[in-house]
Amino acid sequence: MSLFISSVYADYDEEVALINKGLPKQVKLFNKRQIDCIHWAGEEPYDKHRAKEINAAVTKRRCADLDKDEKILRKKYKARPNVIDSINKAKEFI
């Protein structure tokens, strides 16, 4: 892995860690999943192999369930503004 790519991933991991700092594990996992789903949704399926890879990633992360899971978390943590803020930040990530 090149130094540039390592740096990009380090920055990405640091930003995700900042969004998730001090949050319940359930929220951290959701935010990471949401960020990953946003990433995969923006990928180009330039050939059959890549399309299959994208579909597998989206399925593995249960991206189709994000809205439902988000509503559950927002209701559960409605009294915790830091949790709601993190969900909002994760939605706008990248």
Side-chain angles (χ1 to χ4, degrees):
M1 189 179 298
S2 77
L3 182 58
F4 174 73
I5 292 173
S6 295
S7 175
V8 169
Y9 285 124
D11 291 346
Y12 171 86
D13 289 340
E14 286 176 23
E15 288 181 45
V16 172
L18 283 173
I19 289 172
N20 282 330
K21 187 174 181 177
L23 299 178
K25 183 177 181 179
Q26 179 184 29
V27 177
K28 289 180 183 182
L29 291 172
F30 173 80
N31 284 342
K32 175 70 169 104
R33 190 173 124 224
Q34 181 164 245
I35 290 166
D36 287 349
C37 288
I38 292 167
H39 166 81
W40 284 106
E43 290 294 304
E44 289 294 323
Y46 46 78
D47 61 26
K48 284 184 181 182
H49 173 74
R50 184 64 174 160
K52 190 175 181 179
E53 182 180 33
I54 293 167
N55 287 334
V58 167
T59 299
K60 179 181 176 183
R61 287 161 180 82
R62 299 178 351 268
C63 297
D65 296 333
L66 279 176
D67 289 340
K68 174 184 65 113
D69 296 342
E70 179 182 346
K71 286 177 186 175
I72 291 167
L73 290 175
R74 285 183 181 276
K75 184 176 180 180
K76 181 176 181 176
Y77 294 103
K78 65 183 175 189
R80 296 205 35 204
N82 63 324
V83 170
I84 303 305
D85 185 50
S86 75
I87 292 170
N88 293 337
K89 287 179 180 175
K91 256 184 137 162
E92 297 175 12
F93 193 85
I94 298 187

